[in-house]
Amino acid sequence: MFGLNAKDARLYIIVLALLLFAPFLLNPFPEGSGLAQFNAGYPDMMQRLVIFGLFAVGFNILFGLTGYLSFGHAAFLGVGSYAGVWMFKLLTMNVIPALIISTLVAGLFSLLIGYISLRRSGIYFSILTLAFAQMCYSLAYSVLTPITGGETGLQLSLDDPRILGVQQTAQGNIPVPNLFGLPMNAATTLDVGAWSFTFSVGYYFAAFVFACAFYFTIRLFRSPFGLMLRAVKSNQSRMSYTGLNARPYTLAAFVISGMFAGLAGGLLVSMDPLAGAERMLWTASGEVVLMTILGGVGTLIGPILGAGVITYLEAIVSTINSTVLHNWFEALPDGLENFLVNIIYPFVGSGWHLTLGLVFVIVVCFLPGGIVEGGKRIGGLFTRKNKSSDSVKADSAAQPGPGE
Amino acid sequence: MGILEVKNINKRFGGLQALGDVNLDVQEGSCHAIIGPNGAGKSTLLNVLVGKLIPDTGTVMFENKPVLGRKPHEINQMGISRVFQTPEIFGDLTVMENMVIPILARRDGSFALHAISQLRNEKSLNEEAEQMLAEVNMLEKRNMQASSLSRGDKRRLEMAMCLVQQPRLLLLDEPTAGMARADTNNTIDLLKEIKEKRNITMAIIEHDMHVVFSLADRITVLAQGTPLVEDTPENIKGHPKVREAYLGEAQV
Ligand SMILES: Nc1ncnc2c1ncn2[C@@H]1O[C@H](COP(=O)(O)OP(=O)(O)OP(=O)(O)O)[C@@H](O)[C@H]1O
Ligand SMILES: [Mg+2]
C-alpha cells in the first residue's frame, strides 16, 4: 500500500492514526482532576510534538543513516524560523510561501555548512557543525540584528509591507498566519462529560506536513539512496573502492536533514510568528541529538518517540511546582508528605533537565537501541510467552493427562 | 602492450623502501600472479594501483589511461576492482545489500540521487545479485548480516561484490587465505571459469602455491620491494633465485 512494503505501510497507518486522534489520546484525564496536569492534548503542545518530531526525523536521516553526528542542526531550524517570519512580513500571512522559503533557505545554509564540515568526519565534523551553529547564533544576536531582531527576536508589526496580503486587519490588529484564509489559531472544542478535546487548525496542518515528510522519509529509507547512506556508515573505504563517492551522498543527506529542520522552523513560526536566536543555541542542537538517541538511532519511528518523550517532559514536568506536589501528597501524614515533596522537587519544575538526564542515562545504559529496542524486547517477551503456552497446550492436547 | 602497465614505481615509508623500481606488464585476459615473502611490498603495490597510496615516482597506465592522481572511486569506475587482504565489506548490511551496492555503482556511477524509487521494485538488479550469490554458493545466506559471516564467507562475498561489477581488471590480495581446502578449490574453479567466460584480467597475490600454479599465466616474484624475476609458472618453479628467496620455505 502507498508503494510501501507491508510492514512500513502498517507503521505509516499507525502513525497517521496517532496524528489524527492525538487530541483524544493525549487528553486521557478529565478536566479539573488532579491528573489533568498530565494532559498534553492542547494545541500548543501537540503542535510542538509534531514539529519537533519532524525535526528529529530529518536529523535521523543524517545521523541515523550515515552516522555523521551534527551538533549544529538547530541553526537550520533557526534560519528557517527567520525566513518564515520574513515571508510573513514582506509577502503574505499565508503559511505556504513561508514554509517553502524556510525550507529552501535552510537548504542553502546547510549546503554551505555541510560542504565545509563534511571535509572531516567523526568528532571533527561534530565540532565544525557546532562551531558554525554557534557562529550563526552570535551573528543573529549581534551584527545581523537588522535581519534577526537581535535580543528581542523577529516580530511582526503593523507597518510590515505584506505586499500580497493586508498590513493590518479591519480591527487594526496584526493578521494571523493562515492557510488560504483559514487562521492557524482557529480551534473548536468538544466537551464529552468531564473531558474536553480541542481540535485546532494549526495542529492538523502541522500534522499533515509531518505526515507528508514522514512518508518521504520512509521512501528514502528503502531507496537506493538510503542504502548508500547506510553504506557510508558501515564502511566508507569499501564504498570508494566500489566506485562510489561518499562525499556527495553525505552532503545530500546533510542538506535534506537541514531542509527538514528549516521546515520545522517554518512551522514553528506559522503557529506563533516570532523567531528568536535562542532557537539556534547549542542546547537546542543537543536536544535533537538526545531525541534521536532516546528513541532509537536509525529507526523510522524512534526519533518520533524520542521527540515526543522529550517535548512532553519539557512541557509537563517543568510546570510541576511545590504547590502541585503538596496537593498530590495532601492525604499523607505531614512528615511523609514533606519528605516525598523534598525528594521529588529537584526533578520537577526548573529541574526537569535532571529528569531528562536520568531518563537518558537509563536508556543509553540499559537500552542502547533506545525506546524502539525496549519495545522490541517487550514484544519479544510476549511472543515467546505465547509460543511456549501454545506448545504446552499442544502437548496437553496430544496426551490428555489424568487431571483433565 | 598490456592492459595494465606499471613503470618505475618507487615508494618509501620513512627509511623503508617498500617498492623499489617496480615494473609490471599485465596482458589482457591473463592471470598475473605476484608472489613473495611477507613484507615484500605486494599489498603496497596494489594500494598504489587502486589509489590508496601515492607513489614517490612512476606511472601506472590502465587501458592506456593514466591511473595515478585519480581518486579510488574514479579508478574503480575505470574498471578496476579489488579484493582486500582483510575483507572489506559492509558489515552492518545484509549479504544481499552488500551485493546490490556494487551493481548500483556500476549502473548509476559514483553518485545518483534515487531517493524515491524503491529497491524492492528493482527486479533485474535483485535477480543479478542473487545470481552472483548463487555462483559463490551463498544464496541461502542472503539475509544474514555480513559481519556475522565466517571469514571464508566474507572473502567470498567480497569477491562476488567485485565480480558483479564486471571489472576489466580484478585485483585479488590473498583471496584464499583462511579458507578450507575445499573452499580454496571452489574459489580456484570460480576464478578459472570467470577468466575464461568473462575475459576478466586478473592480478593475484597469493602465498598458496597450489592456487598460484593452478591459475597464473605469468608470475612476478617480489622481494624487498623489487621484482626478482618475471616468467611463466614452469620456469619460475625451477628458478634457483626464486627457490632461494621464497619458494624454498613456502613450498610444502
Ligand atoms: N602505510 C604504511 N606505512 C608504513 N609502512 C608501511 C605501510 N604499508 C606498508 N608498510 C610496510 O611496507 C612493507 C611492505 O608491506 P606490504 O603490506 O606491501 O607487504 P606484503 O608483501 O603484502 O606482505 P604480506 O604477504 O604479509 O601481506 C612492510 O614492511 C610494511 O610494514
Ligand atoms: Mg599483503
Side-chain angles (χ1 to χ4, degrees), chain A residues 3-5 219-220 222-225 230 234-235 237-238 240-245 249, chain B residues 52 73 76-77 82 88-92 97 105 110 112 114 116-120 158 165:
Chain A
L4 306 175
N5 70 36
R219 298 278 304 210
L220 187 148
R222 310 290 180 228
S223 71
F225 178 71
R230 291 195 292 139
S234 180
N235 190 341
S237 106
R238 178 25 96 196
S240 57
Y241 298 116
T242 307
L244 295 159
N245 192 357
Y249 280 106
Chain B
K52 191 175 180 180
H73 69 264
N76 176 277
Q77 291 284 355
R82 174 179 183 185
E88 288 269 3
I89 51 176
F90 300 107
D92 302 335
E97 285 167 337
S110 59
H114 294 311
I116 298 297
S117 66
Q118 301 289 281
L119 272 174
R120 72 198 159 89
E158 194 183 8
Q165 285 204 298

mmCIF file of all heavy atoms in Angstrom, chain A residues 3-5 219-220 222-225 230 234-235 237-238 240-245 249, chain B residues 52 73 76-77 82 88-92 97 105 110 112 114 116-120 158 165:
data_model
loop_
_atom_site.group_PDB
_atom_site.id
_atom_site.type_symbol
_atom_site.label_atom_id
_atom_site.label_comp_id
_atom_site.label_asym_id
_atom_site.label_seq_id
_atom_site.Cartn_x
_atom_site.Cartn_y
_atom_site.Cartn_z
ATOM 1 N N GLY A 3 2.713 2.248 -2.060
ATOM 2 C CA GLY A 3 4.047 1.983 -2.604
ATOM 3 C C GLY A 3 5.049 1.627 -1.519
ATOM 4 O O GLY A 3 6.247 1.738 -1.724
ATOM 5 N N LEU A 4 4.545 1.211 -0.352
ATOM 6 C CA LEU A 4 5.448 0.795 0.731
ATOM 7 C C LEU A 4 5.289 -0.707 0.934
ATOM 8 O O LEU A 4 4.257 -1.280 0.568
ATOM 9 C CB LEU A 4 5.092 1.514 2.031
ATOM 10 C CG LEU A 4 5.038 3.029 1.988
ATOM 11 C CD1 LEU A 4 4.549 3.569 3.329
ATOM 12 C CD2 LEU A 4 6.408 3.606 1.689
ATOM 13 N N ASN A 5 6.277 -1.337 1.542
ATOM 14 C CA ASN A 5 6.088 -2.745 1.854
ATOM 15 C C ASN A 5 5.123 -2.886 3.035
ATOM 16 O O ASN A 5 4.814 -1.903 3.712
ATOM 17 C CB ASN A 5 7.426 -3.450 2.095
ATOM 18 C CG ASN A 5 8.098 -3.007 3.378
ATOM 19 O OD1 ASN A 5 7.431 -2.750 4.383
ATOM 20 N ND2 ASN A 5 9.408 -2.902 3.346
ATOM 21 N N ARG A 219 10.117 6.337 2.246
ATOM 22 C CA ARG A 219 10.558 6.016 0.876
ATOM 23 C C ARG A 219 12.076 6.129 0.778
ATOM 24 O O ARG A 219 12.741 5.295 0.180
ATOM 25 C CB ARG A 219 9.923 6.978 -0.142
ATOM 26 C CG ARG A 219 8.425 6.932 -0.209
ATOM 27 C CD ARG A 219 7.911 5.809 -1.049
ATOM 28 N NE ARG A 219 8.388 5.779 -2.407
ATOM 29 C CZ ARG A 219 7.686 5.283 -3.421
ATOM 30 N NH1 ARG A 219 6.471 4.831 -3.224
ATOM 31 N NH2 ARG A 219 8.199 5.228 -4.630
ATOM 32 N N LEU A 220 12.618 7.194 1.375
ATOM 33 C CA LEU A 220 14.067 7.405 1.311
ATOM 34 C C LEU A 220 14.818 6.240 1.961
ATOM 35 O O LEU A 220 15.813 5.754 1.432
ATOM 36 C CB LEU A 220 14.420 8.725 1.991
ATOM 37 C CG LEU A 220 15.864 9.193 1.885
ATOM 38 C CD1 LEU A 220 15.931 10.708 1.861
ATOM 39 C CD2 LEU A 220 16.724 8.692 3.023
ATOM 40 N N ARG A 222 14.093 3.200 2.115
ATOM 41 C CA ARG A 222 14.039 1.964 1.313
ATOM 42 C C ARG A 222 14.546 2.186 -0.108
ATOM 43 O O ARG A 222 14.374 1.323 -0.949
ATOM 44 C CB ARG A 222 12.603 1.441 1.248
ATOM 45 C CG ARG A 222 11.921 1.332 2.590
ATOM 46 C CD ARG A 222 12.517 0.216 3.443
ATOM 47 N NE ARG A 222 11.846 0.126 4.724
ATOM 48 C CZ ARG A 222 12.491 0.052 5.889
ATOM 49 N NH1 ARG A 222 13.807 0.064 5.939
ATOM 50 N NH2 ARG A 222 11.818 -0.028 7.013
ATOM 51 N N SER A 223 15.114 3.335 -0.393
ATOM 52 C CA SER A 223 15.535 3.650 -1.762
ATOM 53 C C SER A 223 17.009 3.311 -1.950
ATOM 54 O O SER A 223 17.735 3.093 -0.981
ATOM 55 C CB SER A 223 15.320 5.141 -2.024
ATOM 56 O OG SER A 223 16.260 5.882 -1.283
ATOM 57 N N PRO A 224 17.473 3.278 -3.184
ATOM 58 C CA PRO A 224 18.911 3.099 -3.419
ATOM 59 C C PRO A 224 19.738 4.153 -2.682
ATOM 60 O O PRO A 224 20.784 3.841 -2.109
ATOM 61 C CB PRO A 224 19.043 3.258 -4.930
ATOM 62 C CG PRO A 224 17.721 2.874 -5.476
ATOM 63 C CD PRO A 224 16.721 3.306 -4.453
ATOM 64 N N PHE A 225 19.251 5.380 -2.664
ATOM 65 C CA PHE A 225 19.962 6.446 -1.966
ATOM 66 C C PHE A 225 20.088 6.123 -0.476
ATOM 67 O O PHE A 225 21.160 6.271 0.121
ATOM 68 C CB PHE A 225 19.206 7.761 -2.170
ATOM 69 C CG PHE A 225 19.811 8.945 -1.469
ATOM 70 C CD1 PHE A 225 21.000 9.489 -1.895
ATOM 71 C CD2 PHE A 225 19.168 9.511 -0.366
ATOM 72 C CE1 PHE A 225 21.551 10.583 -1.248
ATOM 73 C CE2 PHE A 225 19.720 10.604 0.282
ATOM 74 C CZ PHE A 225 20.914 11.138 -0.167
ATOM 75 N N ARG A 230 23.477 4.200 4.269
ATOM 76 C CA ARG A 230 23.848 3.198 5.267
ATOM 77 C C ARG A 230 25.218 2.612 4.952
ATOM 78 O O ARG A 230 25.966 2.235 5.853
ATOM 79 C CB ARG A 230 22.771 2.111 5.344
ATOM 80 C CG ARG A 230 21.476 2.666 5.944
ATOM 81 C CD ARG A 230 20.543 1.577 6.374
ATOM 82 N NE ARG A 230 20.034 0.859 5.225
ATOM 83 C CZ ARG A 230 19.886 -0.454 5.184
ATOM 84 N NH1 ARG A 230 20.221 -1.195 6.219
ATOM 85 N NH2 ARG A 230 19.420 -1.033 4.110
ATOM 86 N N SER A 234 28.561 2.220 7.300
ATOM 87 C CA SER A 234 29.131 0.900 7.518
ATOM 88 C C SER A 234 30.602 0.820 7.128
ATOM 89 O O SER A 234 31.423 0.322 7.900
ATOM 90 C CB SER A 234 28.327 -0.131 6.733
ATOM 91 O OG SER A 234 28.851 -1.407 6.933
ATOM 92 N N ASN A 235 30.965 1.281 5.951
ATOM 93 C CA ASN A 235 32.352 1.136 5.503
ATOM 94 C C ASN A 235 32.629 2.086 4.346
ATOM 95 O O ASN A 235 32.399 1.759 3.181
ATOM 96 C CB ASN A 235 32.603 -0.316 5.074
ATOM 97 C CG ASN A 235 34.061 -0.600 4.825
ATOM 98 O OD1 ASN A 235 34.855 0.317 4.617
ATOM 99 N ND2 ASN A 235 34.433 -1.857 4.832
ATOM 100 N N SER A 237 35.455 3.105 3.202
ATOM 101 C CA SER A 237 36.557 2.795 2.305
ATOM 102 C C SER A 237 36.104 1.745 1.287
ATOM 103 O O SER A 237 36.416 1.861 0.112
ATOM 104 C CB SER A 237 37.791 2.406 3.109
ATOM 105 O OG SER A 237 38.041 1.052 3.045
ATOM 106 N N ARG A 238 35.311 0.747 1.721
ATOM 107 C CA ARG A 238 34.775 -0.200 0.742
ATOM 108 C C ARG A 238 33.942 0.546 -0.297
ATOM 109 O O ARG A 238 33.962 0.247 -1.473
ATOM 110 C CB ARG A 238 33.950 -1.268 1.452
ATOM 111 C CG ARG A 238 33.275 -2.329 0.608
ATOM 112 C CD ARG A 238 33.883 -2.622 -0.727
ATOM 113 N NE ARG A 238 34.787 -3.739 -0.802
ATOM 114 C CZ ARG A 238 35.631 -3.945 -1.808
ATOM 115 N NH1 ARG A 238 35.703 -3.098 -2.831
ATOM 116 N NH2 ARG A 238 36.421 -4.970 -1.812
ATOM 117 N N SER A 240 34.366 3.570 -1.484
ATOM 118 C CA SER A 240 35.138 4.244 -2.527
ATOM 119 C C SER A 240 35.805 3.235 -3.455
ATOM 120 O O SER A 240 35.917 3.490 -4.648
ATOM 121 C CB SER A 240 36.158 5.199 -1.921
ATOM 122 O OG SER A 240 36.997 4.502 -1.053
ATOM 123 N N TYR A 241 36.211 2.050 -2.923
ATOM 124 C CA TYR A 241 36.792 1.048 -3.820
ATOM 125 C C TYR A 241 35.716 0.311 -4.606
ATOM 126 O O TYR A 241 36.023 -0.568 -5.400
ATOM 127 C CB TYR A 241 37.668 0.071 -3.029
ATOM 128 C CG TYR A 241 38.828 0.781 -2.381
ATOM 129 C CD1 TYR A 241 38.963 0.853 -1.007
ATOM 130 C CD2 TYR A 241 39.773 1.440 -3.174
ATOM 131 C CE1 TYR A 241 40.005 1.549 -0.424
ATOM 132 C CE2 TYR A 241 40.812 2.140 -2.601
ATOM 133 C CZ TYR A 241 40.919 2.192 -1.227
ATOM 134 O OH TYR A 241 41.949 2.894 -0.660
ATOM 135 N N THR A 242 34.455 0.652 -4.365
ATOM 136 C CA THR A 242 33.371 0.103 -5.162
ATOM 137 C C THR A 242 32.907 1.152 -6.181
ATOM 138 O O THR A 242 31.884 0.995 -6.832
ATOM 139 C CB THR A 242 32.213 -0.345 -4.249
ATOM 140 O OG1 THR A 242 32.753 -1.227 -3.256
ATOM 141 C CG2 THR A 242 31.137 -1.109 -4.976
ATOM 142 N N GLY A 243 33.644 2.250 -6.261
ATOM 143 C CA GLY A 243 33.330 3.241 -7.292
ATOM 144 C C GLY A 243 32.319 4.282 -6.876
ATOM 145 O O GLY A 243 31.759 4.971 -7.717
ATOM 146 N N LEU A 244 32.083 4.396 -5.563
ATOM 147 C CA LEU A 244 31.097 5.361 -5.099
ATOM 148 C C LEU A 244 31.784 6.503 -4.377
ATOM 149 O O LEU A 244 32.713 6.292 -3.603
ATOM 150 C CB LEU A 244 30.114 4.671 -4.156
ATOM 151 C CG LEU A 244 29.269 3.614 -4.840
ATOM 152 C CD1 LEU A 244 28.707 2.636 -3.837
ATOM 153 C CD2 LEU A 244 28.147 4.276 -5.632
ATOM 154 N N ASN A 245 31.297 7.695 -4.638
ATOM 155 C CA ASN A 245 31.859 8.873 -3.999
ATOM 156 C C ASN A 245 31.012 9.212 -2.778
ATOM 157 O O ASN A 245 29.872 9.650 -2.909
ATOM 158 C CB ASN A 245 31.856 10.028 -5.008
ATOM 159 C CG ASN A 245 32.679 11.191 -4.526
ATOM 160 O OD1 ASN A 245 33.213 11.167 -3.419
ATOM 161 N ND2 ASN A 245 32.793 12.215 -5.347
ATOM 162 N N TYR A 249 27.025 11.946 -1.310
ATOM 163 C CA TYR A 249 25.944 11.269 -0.593
ATOM 164 C C TYR A 249 25.748 11.884 0.782
ATOM 165 O O TYR A 249 24.625 12.177 1.196
ATOM 166 C CB TYR A 249 26.239 9.764 -0.461
ATOM 167 C CG TYR A 249 25.920 8.997 -1.723
ATOM 168 C CD1 TYR A 249 26.923 8.532 -2.550
ATOM 169 C CD2 TYR A 249 24.599 8.776 -2.095
ATOM 170 C CE1 TYR A 249 26.622 7.845 -3.721
ATOM 171 C CE2 TYR A 249 24.288 8.096 -3.254
ATOM 172 C CZ TYR A 249 25.303 7.629 -4.065
ATOM 173 O OH TYR A 249 25.001 6.968 -5.216
ATOM 174 N N LYS B 52 44.997 4.126 -3.231
ATOM 175 C CA LYS B 52 45.043 4.266 -1.780
ATOM 176 C C LYS B 52 46.343 4.942 -1.372
ATOM 177 O O LYS B 52 46.389 5.649 -0.366
ATOM 178 C CB LYS B 52 44.928 2.877 -1.146
ATOM 179 C CG LYS B 52 44.701 2.888 0.344
ATOM 180 C CD LYS B 52 44.487 1.476 0.865
ATOM 181 C CE LYS B 52 44.259 1.480 2.363
ATOM 182 N NZ LYS B 52 44.054 0.109 2.874
ATOM 183 N N HIS B 73 37.478 6.017 -6.094
ATOM 184 C CA HIS B 73 36.217 5.682 -6.772
ATOM 185 C C HIS B 73 36.321 5.903 -8.274
ATOM 186 O O HIS B 73 35.681 5.211 -9.051
ATOM 187 C CB HIS B 73 35.041 6.447 -6.156
ATOM 188 C CG HIS B 73 35.046 7.917 -6.398
ATOM 189 N ND1 HIS B 73 35.559 8.819 -5.497
ATOM 190 C CD2 HIS B 73 34.604 8.645 -7.439
ATOM 191 C CE1 HIS B 73 35.419 10.037 -5.975
ATOM 192 N NE2 HIS B 73 34.856 9.964 -7.157
ATOM 193 N N ASN B 76 38.076 2.857 -9.670
ATOM 194 C CA ASN B 76 37.147 1.731 -9.763
ATOM 195 C C ASN B 76 36.216 1.890 -10.966
ATOM 196 O O ASN B 76 35.952 0.925 -11.679
ATOM 197 C CB ASN B 76 36.326 1.615 -8.475
ATOM 198 C CG ASN B 76 35.290 0.515 -8.567
ATOM 199 O OD1 ASN B 76 34.208 0.711 -9.103
ATOM 200 N ND2 ASN B 76 35.639 -0.660 -8.076
ATOM 201 N N GLN B 77 35.751 3.118 -11.175
ATOM 202 C CA GLN B 77 34.840 3.333 -12.311
ATOM 203 C C GLN B 77 35.548 3.124 -13.651
ATOM 204 O O GLN B 77 34.901 2.917 -14.671
ATOM 205 C CB GLN B 77 34.210 4.730 -12.242
ATOM 206 C CG GLN B 77 33.231 4.930 -11.099
ATOM 207 C CD GLN B 77 31.865 4.279 -11.329
ATOM 208 O OE1 GLN B 77 31.591 3.737 -12.391
ATOM 209 N NE2 GLN B 77 31.009 4.294 -10.313
ATOM 210 N N ARG B 82 38.986 -4.459 -6.528
ATOM 211 C CA ARG B 82 39.984 -5.096 -5.677
ATOM 212 C C ARG B 82 39.355 -5.873 -4.528
ATOM 213 O O ARG B 82 38.446 -5.376 -3.856
ATOM 214 C CB ARG B 82 40.926 -4.043 -5.094
ATOM 215 C CG ARG B 82 41.902 -4.626 -4.087
ATOM 216 C CD ARG B 82 42.830 -3.574 -3.541
ATOM 217 N NE ARG B 82 43.795 -4.180 -2.622
ATOM 218 C CZ ARG B 82 44.680 -3.499 -1.919
ATOM 219 N NH1 ARG B 82 44.743 -2.194 -2.034
ATOM 220 N NH2 ARG B 82 45.509 -4.115 -1.107
ATOM 221 N N GLU B 88 37.009 -6.381 3.152
ATOM 222 C CA GLU B 88 36.356 -5.077 3.277
ATOM 223 C C GLU B 88 34.957 -5.222 2.729
ATOM 224 O O GLU B 88 34.745 -5.218 1.523
ATOM 225 C CB GLU B 88 37.115 -4.029 2.454
ATOM 226 C CG GLU B 88 38.447 -3.613 3.027
ATOM 227 C CD GLU B 88 38.328 -2.408 3.948
ATOM 228 O OE1 GLU B 88 37.214 -1.936 4.190
ATOM 229 O OE2 GLU B 88 39.393 -1.958 4.415
ATOM 230 N N ILE B 89 33.986 -5.380 3.660
ATOM 231 C CA ILE B 89 32.600 -5.484 3.234
ATOM 232 C C ILE B 89 31.775 -4.532 4.076
ATOM 233 O O ILE B 89 32.293 -3.896 4.986
ATOM 234 C CB ILE B 89 32.071 -6.932 3.405
ATOM 235 C CG1 ILE B 89 32.365 -7.395 4.826
ATOM 236 C CG2 ILE B 89 32.698 -7.861 2.381
ATOM 237 C CD1 ILE B 89 31.809 -8.747 5.141
ATOM 238 N N PHE B 90 30.490 -4.409 3.757
ATOM 239 C CA PHE B 90 29.612 -3.559 4.555
ATOM 240 C C PHE B 90 29.036 -4.408 5.684
ATOM 241 O O PHE B 90 27.985 -5.036 5.541
ATOM 242 C CB PHE B 90 28.504 -2.967 3.687
ATOM 243 C CG PHE B 90 29.019 -2.124 2.564
ATOM 244 C CD1 PHE B 90 28.980 -2.577 1.254
ATOM 245 C CD2 PHE B 90 29.577 -0.877 2.806
ATOM 246 C CE1 PHE B 90 29.462 -1.806 0.213
ATOM 247 C CE2 PHE B 90 30.071 -0.097 1.774
ATOM 248 C CZ PHE B 90 30.014 -0.561 0.471
ATOM 249 N N GLY B 91 29.746 -4.424 6.813
ATOM 250 C CA GLY B 91 29.407 -5.337 7.893
ATOM 251 C C GLY B 91 28.015 -5.145 8.467
ATOM 252 O O GLY B 91 27.375 -6.112 8.867
ATOM 253 N N ASP B 92 27.517 -3.895 8.500
ATOM 254 C CA ASP B 92 26.197 -3.654 9.104
ATOM 255 C C ASP B 92 25.055 -4.066 8.186
ATOM 256 O O ASP B 92 23.913 -4.119 8.616
ATOM 257 C CB ASP B 92 26.008 -2.155 9.401
ATOM 258 C CG ASP B 92 27.075 -1.623 10.326
ATOM 259 O OD1 ASP B 92 27.630 -2.432 11.073
ATOM 260 O OD2 ASP B 92 27.338 -0.407 10.283
ATOM 261 N N GLU B 97 22.263 -6.819 0.473
ATOM 262 C CA GLU B 97 22.514 -5.381 0.308
ATOM 263 C C GLU B 97 23.953 -5.144 -0.121
ATOM 264 O O GLU B 97 24.232 -4.252 -0.937
ATOM 265 C CB GLU B 97 22.206 -4.641 1.609
ATOM 266 C CG GLU B 97 20.722 -4.496 1.874
ATOM 267 C CD GLU B 97 20.386 -4.061 3.292
ATOM 268 O OE1 GLU B 97 21.217 -4.268 4.210
ATOM 269 O OE2 GLU B 97 19.285 -3.540 3.497
ATOM 270 N N ALA B 105 26.482 0.888 -8.193
ATOM 271 C CA ALA B 105 27.642 1.715 -8.540
ATOM 272 C C ALA B 105 27.979 1.561 -10.017
ATOM 273 O O ALA B 105 28.352 2.522 -10.686
ATOM 274 C CB ALA B 105 28.839 1.326 -7.680
ATOM 275 N N SER B 110 29.224 7.094 -9.806
ATOM 276 C CA SER B 110 29.713 7.290 -8.451
ATOM 277 C C SER B 110 28.736 8.042 -7.549
ATOM 278 O O SER B 110 28.881 8.038 -6.341
ATOM 279 C CB SER B 110 31.050 8.015 -8.465
ATOM 280 O OG SER B 110 30.891 9.258 -9.102
ATOM 281 N N ALA B 112 24.296 9.084 -7.412
ATOM 282 C CA ALA B 112 22.971 9.252 -8.000
ATOM 283 C C ALA B 112 21.975 9.473 -6.883
ATOM 284 O O ALA B 112 22.055 8.834 -5.847
ATOM 285 C CB ALA B 112 22.573 8.021 -8.806
ATOM 286 N N HIS B 114 18.753 8.718 -6.156
ATOM 287 C CA HIS B 114 17.489 7.989 -6.328
ATOM 288 C C HIS B 114 16.863 7.784 -4.970
ATOM 289 O O HIS B 114 16.969 6.720 -4.382
ATOM 290 C CB HIS B 114 17.741 6.640 -6.995
ATOM 291 C CG HIS B 114 18.232 6.766 -8.389
ATOM 292 N ND1 HIS B 114 17.633 7.576 -9.322
ATOM 293 C CD2 HIS B 114 19.268 6.189 -9.029
ATOM 294 C CE1 HIS B 114 18.272 7.486 -10.465
ATOM 295 N NE2 HIS B 114 19.287 6.665 -10.314
ATOM 296 N N ILE B 116 13.553 8.259 -4.130
ATOM 297 C CA ILE B 116 12.132 7.916 -4.084
ATOM 298 C C ILE B 116 11.896 6.503 -4.601
ATOM 299 O O ILE B 116 11.104 5.754 -4.040
ATOM 300 C CB ILE B 116 11.306 8.935 -4.912
ATOM 301 C CG1 ILE B 116 11.456 10.327 -4.318
ATOM 302 C CG2 ILE B 116 9.839 8.543 -4.944
ATOM 303 C CD1 ILE B 116 10.927 10.476 -2.912
ATOM 304 N N SER B 117 12.602 6.118 -5.664
ATOM 305 C CA SER B 117 12.388 4.769 -6.203
ATOM 306 C C SER B 117 12.738 3.747 -5.123
ATOM 307 O O SER B 117 13.581 3.989 -4.274
ATOM 308 C CB SER B 117 13.258 4.553 -7.428
ATOM 309 O OG SER B 117 14.622 4.560 -7.060
ATOM 310 N N GLN B 118 12.062 2.609 -5.147
ATOM 311 C CA GLN B 118 12.221 1.632 -4.078
ATOM 312 C C GLN B 118 13.059 0.451 -4.535
ATOM 313 O O GLN B 118 12.841 -0.091 -5.619
ATOM 314 C CB GLN B 118 10.845 1.152 -3.604
ATOM 315 C CG GLN B 118 9.969 2.286 -3.081
ATOM 316 C CD GLN B 118 10.465 2.827 -1.751
ATOM 317 O OE1 GLN B 118 10.238 2.247 -0.710
ATOM 318 N NE2 GLN B 118 11.162 3.950 -1.787
ATOM 319 N N LEU B 119 13.998 0.049 -3.690
ATOM 320 C CA LEU B 119 14.908 -1.030 -4.047
ATOM 321 C C LEU B 119 14.172 -2.327 -4.379
ATOM 322 O O LEU B 119 14.546 -3.044 -5.291
ATOM 323 C CB LEU B 119 15.870 -1.297 -2.882
ATOM 324 C CG LEU B 119 17.131 -0.466 -2.868
ATOM 325 C CD1 LEU B 119 17.899 -0.732 -1.611
ATOM 326 C CD2 LEU B 119 17.983 -0.797 -4.083
ATOM 327 N N ARG B 120 13.092 -2.606 -3.606
ATOM 328 C CA ARG B 120 12.461 -3.909 -3.815
ATOM 329 C C ARG B 120 11.774 -3.990 -5.172
ATOM 330 O O ARG B 120 11.414 -5.065 -5.621
ATOM 331 C CB ARG B 120 11.488 -4.207 -2.663
ATOM 332 C CG ARG B 120 10.251 -3.375 -2.709
ATOM 333 C CD ARG B 120 9.524 -3.351 -1.386
ATOM 334 N NE ARG B 120 8.681 -2.186 -1.365
ATOM 335 C CZ ARG B 120 7.433 -2.190 -1.819
ATOM 336 N NH1 ARG B 120 6.901 -3.281 -2.285
ATOM 337 N NH2 ARG B 120 6.727 -1.079 -1.800
ATOM 338 N N GLU B 158 33.087 -10.721 -0.676
ATOM 339 C CA GLU B 158 33.816 -9.587 -1.256
ATOM 340 C C GLU B 158 34.167 -9.876 -2.715
ATOM 341 O O GLU B 158 34.090 -8.992 -3.571
ATOM 342 C CB GLU B 158 35.081 -9.296 -0.439
ATOM 343 C CG GLU B 158 35.689 -7.948 -0.791
ATOM 344 C CD GLU B 158 36.985 -7.671 -0.061
ATOM 345 O OE1 GLU B 158 37.496 -8.583 0.615
ATOM 346 O OE2 GLU B 158 37.499 -6.546 -0.193
ATOM 347 N N GLN B 165 30.533 -6.357 -10.406
ATOM 348 C CA GLN B 165 30.779 -5.065 -11.052
ATOM 349 C C GLN B 165 31.247 -5.225 -12.488
ATOM 350 O O GLN B 165 31.368 -4.243 -13.204
ATOM 351 C CB GLN B 165 31.865 -4.304 -10.291
ATOM 352 C CG GLN B 165 31.414 -3.722 -8.998
ATOM 353 C CD GLN B 165 32.298 -2.551 -8.624
ATOM 354 O OE1 GLN B 165 33.499 -2.701 -8.413
ATOM 355 N NE2 GLN B 165 31.715 -1.377 -8.580
#
